[in-house]
Amino acid sequence: MVSFTQRTWRRRNLRDSKLGRDKKKLRERIGTPKFPVHPEGYDSQAPDAKKSQG
């Protein structure tokens, strides 16, 4: 029979790794926050405006 200490450490490691997986899935489900493509007051005709790709 395995010792109580070994069993405890094994269960602890399994629990910790499962918590990491759950947090990762939660982050994937939430995704990135919504933000505007161009900030307020952005002028695409300005000389220093970013060029569009396409």
Side-chain angles (χ1 to χ4, degrees), residues 2-49:
V2 71
S3 73
F4 185 68
T5 304
Q6 285 178 331
R7 188 172 69 183
T8 302
W9 281 102
R10 175 76 174 148
R11 289 177 58 81
R12 233 178 242 167
N13 287 337
L14 287 171
R15 185 180 63 222
D16 290 347
S17 65
K18 184 179 184 313
L19 285 174
R21 284 195 301 267
D22 291 347
K23 287 182 187 295
K24 183 178 179 182
K25 294 249 184 231
L26 178 65
R27 285 194 305 265
E28 288 174 355
R29 198 168 53 236
I30 291 172
T32 58
K34 303 258 184 284
F35 57 90
V37 175
H38 297 298
E40 193 173 326
Y42 178 80
D43 182 15
S44 62
Q45 302 301 319
D48 60 344

Side-chain angles (χ1 to χ4, degrees), residues 50-54:
K50 291 186 177 181
K51 304 293 185 234
S52 63
Q53 295 179 2

